[in-house]
């Protein structure tokens, strides 16, 4: 939530939210003749409702604030109220209300003529909402023009000097975020985009920049939003590490998220489900499937966020598929709940494409190859439409495997070669391992001894890298986190007796 001067200081409100709310309502009633205080109190009460997750009441108050700001002639603060409301509507997934609101905000921002930094900060707020809206919808390609505008906008802000002349309208005495915080936020949404698109080296680059900036800011600023930014950045880079074959580093960063959450109960409350999801993904990467199931099940219990729920269920289904016949009944139930052919529970293009992939994987393991091909071609169509590179690579290599099983070596090669090229570009170690094994077997079957030898050597190299990383990760004391499924994050980790070095799931 945005703030006026000093709005987030502990002294501004009573420690008891219940006691603070009636006081704020009374203050709002008697402050209508003083625009700055009236707006500030409305923001404050809306923030309290947001903290209590009563987003309907918060939205109502922000709507009241927007109308009041319009009446007192403050288009700037009207835009702040409306953009804040738009942010909450996005959190509630009320997309039909979001679109007209963002359209109105865009017009207000463009038409407002005032302090250049205030104008650009409004534009950043507006574009951040647009970019996150696209990313929530899994539309990685469609978001690029907005993301480019946002990056240009933050560059413009960094060249502007703070204008010390106070606005003539007292209702304009608000700011959204300091410039330095906005810069970190733009890095963050760039990382989110790069992660979804499969540009993992770019995600790493921007994460490093953002974390460096955060460390400098945290030396001077104890704002809780900085810790939230840090946790979200780490959540994304952890997923990148698991894909690129750096499990030990990912595990240490998961431990870092645990430490940040230990310092803030609210941070833990907001990120507990994501933390268990990350541990589930780590467990999959080290072939601890029972622990992966426990982590994903815990994460499902802790979230009511639809997109995260769909992401977890998709990954849990893939665990059950790899486990064979042990969980058939539960698996069928999960697949029905994320059926992309019928009523898929979320609007995310990316998650729907992933659901088609999981259905294809299930059909492949069942030996229903034509059905698997249909699902995977649907994934390819959707992932190509929005540049979802990792899903494209996974679908290509699985299609290549199906054609190899069916004895169609030429078609298999046509799938596996681009899969390997794309996986190398990401880089995705598991898909490279899988592709190199298929290329080795394909070239052997076709009598291409030299190419088969080269592919076998590649496969050997990838296997060694993954095995070494696997042993290192499982030897870390933090590996014991995989058994944590209840309560706050554990404070200490005990050393492991010995690593689980099974790479069966990867080979």
């Amino acid at each position: 939530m945005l703030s006026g001067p000093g709005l987030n200081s502990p002294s501004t409100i009573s420690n008891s939210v219940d006691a603070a709310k009636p006081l704020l309502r009374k203050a709002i009633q008697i402050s209508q003749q003083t625009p700055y205080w009236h707006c500030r109190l409305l923001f404050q009460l809306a923030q309290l409702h947001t903290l209590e997750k009563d987003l309907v009441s918060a939205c109502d108050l922000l709507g009241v604030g927007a109308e009041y700001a319009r009446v007192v002639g403050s288009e700037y603060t009207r835009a702040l109220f409306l953009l804040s409301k738009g942010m909450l509507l996005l959190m509630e997934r009320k997309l039909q209300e979001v679109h007209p609101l963002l359209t109105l905000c865009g017009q207000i921002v463009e038409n407002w003529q005032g302090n250049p930094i205030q104008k650009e900060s409004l534009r950043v707020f507006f574009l951040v909402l647009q970019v996150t809206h696209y990313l929530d919808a899994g539309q990685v390609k469609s978001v690029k023009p907005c993301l480019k505008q946002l990056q240009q906008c933050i560059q413009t802000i960094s060249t502007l000097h703070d204008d010390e002349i106070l606005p003539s309208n007292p209702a304009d005495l608000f700011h959204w975020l300091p410039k330095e915080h906005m810069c970190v936020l733009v890095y963050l949404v760039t990382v989110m985009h790069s992660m979804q698109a499969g540009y993992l080296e770019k995600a790493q680059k921007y994460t490093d920049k953002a974390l460096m900036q955060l460390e400098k800011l945290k030396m001077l600023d104890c704002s809780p939003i900085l810790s939230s930014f840090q946790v979200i950045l780490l959540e994304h880079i952890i997923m990148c590490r698991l894909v690129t074959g750096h499990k030990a580093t990912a595990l240490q960063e998961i431990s870092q998220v645990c430490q940040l959450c230990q310092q803030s109960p609210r941070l833990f409350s907001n990120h507990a489900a994501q933390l268990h999801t990350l541990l589930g993904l780590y467990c999959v990467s080290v072939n601890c499937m029972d622990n992966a199931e426990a982590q994903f099940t815990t994460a499902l219990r802790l979230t009511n966020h639809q997109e995260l729920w769909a992401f977890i269920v998709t990954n849990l289904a893939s665990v059950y598929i790899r486990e064979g016949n042990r969980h058939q009944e539960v698996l069928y139930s999960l697949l029905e709940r994320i059926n992309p052919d019928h009523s898929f529970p979320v609007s995310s293009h990316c998650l729907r494409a992933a659901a088609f992939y999981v259905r294809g994987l299930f059909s492949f393991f069942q030996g229903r190859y034509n059905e698997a091909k249909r699902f995977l071609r649907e994934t390819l169509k959707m992932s190509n439409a929005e540049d979802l590179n990792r899903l494209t690579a996974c679908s290509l290599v699985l299609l290549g495997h199906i054609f190899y099983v069916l004895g169609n070596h030429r078609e298999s090669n046509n799938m596996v070669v681009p899969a390997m090229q794309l996986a190398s570009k990401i880089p995705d170690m598991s898909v490279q391992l899988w592709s190199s094994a298929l290329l080795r077997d394909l070239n052997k079957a076709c009598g291409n001894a030299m190419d088969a030898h080269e592919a076998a050597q590649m496969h050997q190299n990838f296997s060694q890298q993954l095995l070494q990383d696997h042993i290192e990760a499982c030897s870390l004391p933090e590996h014991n986190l995989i058994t944590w499924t209840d309560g706050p994050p554990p404070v200490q980790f005990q050393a492991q007796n010995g690593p689980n070095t099974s790479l069966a799931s990867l080979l």
Side-chain angles (χ1 to χ4, degrees):
M1 187 65 64
L2 53 92
S3 62
L7 191 57
N8 288 317
S9 68
S11 60
T12 21
I13 60 170
S14 163
N15 286 331
S16 168
V17 171
D18 288 335
K21 286 192 291 190
L23 291 172
L24 284 168
R25 289 192 195 100
K26 181 66 175 172
I28 286 166
Q29 285 176 4
I30 62 177
S31 64
Q32 296 198 34
Q33 302 309 312
T34 51
Y36 165 71
W37 281 104
H38 189 66
C39 291
R40 179 172 171 176
L41 291 162
L42 283 165
F43 277 132
Q44 182 69 79
L45 186 53
Q47 185 171 26
L48 287 188
H49 283 300
T50 303
L51 292 175
E52 291 188 313
K53 304 197 186 309
D54 180 2
L55 301 188
V56 174
S57 297
C59 282
D60 288 344
L61 282 162
L62 293 169
V64 169
E67 179 57 23
Y68 176 83
R70 185 190 68 78
V71 170
V72 297
S74 174
E75 287 295 284
Y76 168 75
T77 302
R78 182 188 176 204
L80 286 180
F81 274 115
L82 290 173
L83 287 165
S84 299
K85 183 177 178 180
M87 180 173 67
L88 298 189
L89 289 172
L90 282 174
M91 288 167 65
E92 284 191 281
R93 299 293 179 266
K94 293 188 175 177
L95 303 184
Q96 290 184 331
E97 295 179 48
V98 168
H99 294 304
L101 188 81
L102 286 183
T103 302
L104 174 60
C105 289
Q107 292 166 355
I108 294 172
V109 171
E110 290 310 310
N111 293 335
W112 187 70
Q113 300 301 318
N115 181 306
I117 285 186
Q118 284 184 309
K119 184 177 176 71
E120 289 304 310
S121 73
L122 283 180
R123 190 176 277 129
V124 169
F125 196 171
F126 171 70
L127 288 168
V128 163
L129 292 185
Q130 283 206 313
V131 168
T132 51
H133 181 32
Y134 275 117
L135 292 178
D136 272 353
Q139 295 176 326
V140 172
K141 187 176 182 179
S142 306
V143 77
K144 285 183 180 178
C146 283
L147 184 60
K148 190 173 181 182
Q149 283 182 60
L150 179 58
Q151 291 163 341
Q152 290 168 344
C153 198
I154 202 67
Q155 287 177 350
T156 302
I157 284 184
S158 63
T159 64
L160 295 172
H161 297 289
D162 289 316
D163 192 345
E164 294 184 3
I165 300 170
L166 291 176
S168 56
N169 189 332
D172 286 349
L173 284 167
F174 293 94
H175 60 271
W176 175 45
L177 286 175
K179 281 196 295 186
E180 297 79 10
H181 291 200
M182 281 191 268
C183 183
V184 174
L185 181 57
V186 173
Y187 282 143
L188 173 56
V189 294
T190 303
V191 169
M192 290 166 69
H193 174 263
S194 301
M195 177 65 213
Q196 272 200 41
Y199 305 134
L200 301 193
E201 288 179 346
K202 188 177 177 183
Q204 174 67 63
K205 179 179 119 181
Y206 281 104
T207 299
D208 290 344
K209 286 185 175 184
L211 290 174
M212 198 181 304
Q213 179 102 348
L214 274 170
E215 286 305 314
K216 290 178 186 172
L217 288 173
K218 287 181 86 171
M219 285 188 235
L220 306 167
D221 186 345
C222 60
S223 173
I225 199 171
L226 296 179
S227 294
S228 294
F229 287 164
Q230 189 175 359
V231 166
I232 298 168
L233 279 163
L234 287 169
E235 286 170 355
H236 282 81
I237 202 61
I238 287 162
M239 289 189 283
C240 290
R241 307 268 196 225
L242 293 173
V243 171
T244 57
H246 297 94
K247 295 184 280 289
T249 307
L251 185 57
Q252 289 166 329
E253 286 166 340
I254 290 172
S255 174
Q256 195 179 340
V257 175
C258 286
Q259 289 164 21
L260 287 164
C261 288
Q262 284 164 4
Q263 297 161 19
S264 167
R266 183 176 295 151
L267 201 59
F268 177 62
S269 171
N270 290 336
H271 292 271
Q274 291 91 321
L275 194 42
H276 285 288
T277 303
L278 291 170
L279 281 168
L281 295 173
Y282 167 76
C283 291
V284 171
S285 76
V286 292
N287 199 32
C288 296
M289 293 303 176
D290 287 344
N291 297 103
E293 179 190 358
Q295 291 296 337
F296 288 139
T297 304
T298 302
L300 286 174
R301 185 174 40 104
L302 293 171
T303 190
N304 55 11
H305 186 284
Q306 282 190 312
E307 276 75 9
L308 181 57
W309 178 89
F311 178 77
I312 298 164
V313 168
T314 304
N315 281 283
L316 182 56
S318 70
V319 167
Y320 289 151
I321 290 167
R322 290 165 66 171
E323 287 282 85
N325 295 321
R326 283 178 55 198
H327 308 281
Q328 284 296 299
E329 194 173 323
V330 181
L331 176 57
Y332 279 114
S333 171
L334 288 180
L335 290 175
E336 194 51 44
R337 294 174 78 185
I338 53 165
N339 189 338
D341 278 329
H342 297 108
S343 54
F344 195 63
V346 295
S347 59
S348 171
H349 181 93
C350 180
L351 286 171
R352 189 162 174 264
F356 273 116
Y357 175 79
V358 169
R359 300 287 293 217
L361 187 68
F362 178 60
S363 298
F364 168 72
F365 272 86
Q366 294 281 307
R368 300 197 301 268
Y369 298 127
N370 285 334
E371 184 179 271
K373 284 190 284 183
R374 180 181 80 78
F375 285 128
L376 293 169
R377 282 171 177 146
E378 196 62 39
T379 305
L380 276 178
K381 185 170 76 175
M382 294 185 73
S383 56
N384 284 333
E386 286 291 346
D387 289 348
L388 305 171
N389 290 324
R390 188 160 184 255
L391 265 178
T392 299
C394 290
S395 301
L396 284 171
V397 73
L398 184 49
L399 274 168
H401 202 134
I402 290 168
F403 282 118
Y404 175 75
V405 170
L406 293 173
N408 189 339
H409 294 163
R410 188 175 73 171
E411 196 61 34
S412 177
N413 193 68
N414 289 343
M415 300 290 148
V416 178
V417 169
M420 174 61 101
Q421 291 168 343
L422 195 51
S424 304
K425 183 181 169 185
I426 289 172
D428 185 320
M429 284 293 285
S430 297
V431 174
Q432 287 181 95
L433 184 76
W434 190 358
S435 299
S436 58
L438 271 171
L439 284 171
R440 176 197 63 201
D441 296 344
L442 271 170
N443 283 300
K444 269 186 190 175
C446 297
N448 302 326
M450 284 185 63
D451 290 338
H453 177 74
E454 185 182 334
Q457 191 60 54
M458 277 196 300
H459 185 262
Q460 175 77 7
N461 293 341
F462 292 134
S463 297
Q464 287 301 315
Q465 286 179 56
L466 281 165
L467 181 59
Q468 187 176 349
D469 180 50
H470 184 105
I471 294 169
E472 184 185 348
C474 294
S475 301
L476 290 170
E478 292 88 348
H479 182 74
N480 273 333
L481 274 170
I482 68 173
T483 63
W484 163 59
T485 55
D486 192 38
V491 177
Q492 293 179 325
F493 313 102
Q494 296 175 352
Q496 285 292 101
N497 294 326
N500 168 9
T501 57
S502 168
L503 271 179
S505 67
L506 296 175
L507 302 176

